[in-house]
Amino acid sequence: MGFVEIENAGKRMFEQFPTIKRMAKRAYQIAGYATSKEKFSSEGNVVRVSPDDGYEYFYGYYDKSPWDATDRYMIVLKVRQAYQSVAPKAPGIVGVIDARKENRFIKIGVSHSWNVQQGCMAQWIGPDFKSRIIYNDFRDGKYCSVIFNLRTRREEKVLPLPVYDVARDGSFALSLDFSRLHRMRPGYGYSNLPDTTKGQLCPDTPCIWKLDLETGEITELFKYTELAAFEPDESMEGAEHKVNHLMISPNGKRFMVLHRWFQKGRKHTRLVTVNVNKTEIYNLSDDVFVSHCYWKNDDEILSFLRKKETGNHYYLMKDRTREYKMYWPKLNTDGHCSYSPDKRYVITDTYPDRKRLASVYLCTEKGSPAGLIERIARVHAPFRYDNDCRCDLHPRWNRAGTAVCIDSVHEGKRGLYVISLEDKIK
């Protein structure tokens, strides 16, 4: 049994006891780091682009690109510190880095609703992906989203819901229950408002909404009870439910959602896909464990998940079918995967290992029986950034497909770094 298998067995053993799990993990990593001969800050062509001015800088999640369509501007969130709280009360400064002017930071706004994993969900609005940015905020006692026009350097409008994902044509966004998410999954929701559903295992209240970005019209899509009523099983009995990770298909017609429930401390996750008009709901993967996902195209989804027959691996699944293919069997550790713009490559990462080193991998579907992998970078993760306040790398492609960027703390603070792939892409 290798180290990955040992670590995964330990995670399962302590799944019902999170405090013990964290203590065991910390002791394991302290021992691993102390005995490791590999002690370095970074390895590979990792170049910092965010300022070195005492602040922390990061972007957020892996399924969105901080780059505009020209690869000149990169969205970034600037904060005082991001290692003591998963969703700090202190505001964060939303801005862009100008690559053509020595990575100068340009402030565009302030967010009062952000977290250490996904920032304030700042993202470029299509279809041009270069003129407007949307980000989440908290104003007048309510969560909202703000559209900023970079060309005019003015705020265009404030919308009545925070966004999670935006359709590529810029017509609508999807939102979820950020307060319940914050309580049940620290680091992914917002702390401004209390969770009004606390104490309710499966609330009969909305959990997913559609937001029209032009009119501000809100359409309720799903309640927790509706998701639980879809193909229920015995593990849902007496379980507490939540939703997370909404991702809209490239053509804007369908979206995926991770439906999770906790029964006696044990987590069960399934990947559900559905049309935006709430038709053709499909249970795509339901073998207890589903983690990070990405739409390859309108019909295929790549995800790190579990298949009962073959275990935890990366699988490319065809939507609304039982067809799937396993890739990179030796890369059997969870990561944040995404396809290059031309779909020829996949970038993914790992969490810090027992030596506190996290890796970035460049992968292809072609070559060998199940694709090829190449490690292109490794960075050190200080113990200060761990557990819920950890800094995941979240590798993200630029628009040209010639570089990726990561959030990293290997220099002591969160920073935004770029890894060029021009010598790797053929």
Side-chain angles (χ1 to χ4, degrees):
M1 180 181 290
F3 281 111
V4 172
E5 289 77 11
I6 293 173
E7 290 168 356
N8 289 335
K11 292 176 184 177
R12 290 191 294 270
M13 182 186 306
F14 297 119
E15 185 178 18
Q16 290 181 285
F17 311 100
T19 301
I20 297 176
K21 179 181 177 181
R22 291 186 180 191
M23 293 173 61
K25 173 189 170 185
R26 175 57 65 92
Y28 174 69
Q29 291 193 339
I30 288 176
Y33 179 73
T35 58
S36 172
K37 295 181 180 179
E38 293 185 295
K39 291 185 174 70
F40 52 81
S41 175
S42 67
E43 177 184 79
N45 186 23
V46 183
V47 179
R48 181 170 50 81
V49 293
S50 55
D52 184 14
D53 58 4
Y55 284 85
E56 300 202 60
Y57 292 83
F58 69 107
Y59 174 63
Y61 224 37
Y62 69 97
D63 61 317
K64 304 165 180 62
S65 176
W67 275 282
D68 76 325
T70 69
D71 284 335
R72 172 180 178 176
Y73 295 106
M74 297 178 71
I75 302 172
V76 70
L77 186 65
K78 174 181 178 179
V79 301
R80 277 291 181 185
Q81 65 86 9
Y83 53 84
Q84 293 181 346
S85 171
V86 295
K89 300 292 185 183
I93 301 172
V94 187
V96 294
I97 290 172
D98 187 347
R100 294 184 188 172
K101 293 187 177 180
E102 299 180 337
N103 294 329
R104 179 168 65 95
F105 176 79
I106 303 170
K107 177 182 176 180
I108 67 171
V110 175
S111 174
H112 300 82
S113 57
W114 60 276
N115 58 58
V116 297
Q117 285 295 320
Q118 300 175 330
C120 57
M121 283 298 183
Q123 51 200 289
W124 295 96
I125 299 177
D128 68 346
F129 297 101
K130 62 182 180 181
S131 58
R132 298 188 300 162
I133 295 170
I134 190 169
Y135 64 92
N136 292 339
D137 198 4
F138 185 76
R139 301 184 181 183
D140 300 322
K142 297 178 181 178
Y143 294 124
C144 62
S145 51
V146 180
I147 294 180
F148 182 87
N149 191 308
L150 190 63
R151 289 179 176 174
T152 64
R153 302 292 173 94
R154 291 185 178 181
E155 189 176 290
E156 278 191 0
K157 67 173 66 174
V158 179
L159 294 161
L161 280 181
V163 299
Y164 196 98
D165 197 21
V166 177
R168 295 191 183 183
D169 66 1
S171 62
F172 74 92
L174 295 181
S175 183
L176 50 68
D177 186 349
F178 282 97
S179 292
R180 186 175 177 90
L181 182 58
H182 169 70
R183 180 179 62 82
M184 295 186 65
R185 187 67 172 97
Y188 292 81
Y190 305 137
S191 62
N192 308 76
L193 295 175
D195 174 19
T196 58
T197 67
K198 185 177 181 179
Q200 302 176 50
L201 295 178
C202 189
D204 189 33
T205 56
C207 59
I208 302 175
W209 298 266
K210 178 183 177 183
L211 174 66
D212 188 303
L213 296 189
E214 179 62 30
T215 66
E217 179 184 1
I218 299 171
T219 304
E220 176 190 314
L221 292 182
F222 283 98
K223 295 180 178 180
Y224 293 100
T225 47
E226 290 179 295
L227 284 175
F230 169 64
E231 297 187 11
D233 65 42
E234 61 182 15
S235 68
M236 294 184 187
E237 296 178 9
E240 188 174 22
H241 296 250
K242 73 179 181 72
V243 299
N244 201 2
H245 302 313
L246 307 176
M247 294 183 187
I248 304 169
S249 64
N251 63 9
K253 294 182 178 180
R254 287 178 71 75
F255 70 92
M256 70 172 94
V257 56
L258 294 189
H259 175 206
R260 283 180 171 151
W261 58 95
F262 299 80
Q263 185 192 59
K264 297 179 180 178
R266 292 195 178 279
K267 179 172 69 175
H268 191 125
T269 306
R270 64 178 176 179
L271 174 60
V272 174
T273 61
V274 61
N275 287 337
V276 174
N277 65 5
K278 207 176 173 179
T279 61
E280 293 188 65
I281 186 169
Y282 192 81
N283 188 356
L284 186 59
S285 187
D286 194 8
D287 286 349
V288 180
F289 172 75
V290 183
S291 190
H292 305 99
C293 309
Y294 192 86
W295 288 97
K296 178 182 181 182
N297 49 49
D298 295 323
D299 299 305
E300 295 177 296
I301 294 173
L302 179 67
S303 178
F304 189 85
L305 50 80
R306 180 175 304 157
K307 293 294 183 183
K308 292 180 180 177
E309 301 81 6
T310 46
N312 296 357
H313 293 284
Y314 285 100
Y315 297 92
L316 183 65
M317 300 170 288
K318 187 174 182 179
D319 191 19
R320 289 175 280 192
T321 75
R322 292 301 171 198
E323 299 177 26
Y324 65 87
K325 183 176 182 179
M326 182 202 299
Y327 284 110
W328 319 299
K330 293 183 179 180
L331 191 60
N332 59 341
T333 180
D334 194 3
H336 304 88
C337 54
S338 63
Y339 278 88
S340 60
D342 62 7
K343 306 298 187 292
R344 294 170 56 209
Y345 297 90
V346 169
I347 200 76
T348 192
D349 63 351
T350 69
Y351 293 104
D353 59 17
R354 65 189 184 281
K355 304 173 185 177
R356 296 296 294 172
L357 295 174
S359 300
V360 181
Y361 287 94
L362 182 67
C363 309
T364 63
E365 294 178 356
K366 296 181 179 180
S368 81
L372 298 174
I373 59 174
E374 178 184 358
R375 187 170 66 199
I376 60 172
R378 282 194 296 176
V379 292
H380 171 65
F383 282 104
R384 181 167 68 176
Y385 296 90
D386 200 9
N387 295 316
D388 292 336
C389 288
R390 68 189 183 277
C391 179
D392 294 343
L393 303 185
H394 293 153
R396 298 150 303 233
W397 290 92
N398 69 351
R399 305 290 175 171
T402 57
V404 296
C405 69
I406 60 173
D407 300 328
S408 181
V409 291
H410 65 271
E411 292 185 308
K413 289 182 178 292
R414 289 180 195 261
L416 188 65
Y417 297 81
V418 170
I419 303 171
S420 174
L421 298 176
E422 291 187 353
D423 63 334
K424 306 288 185 183
I425 303 298
K426 300 176 182 178

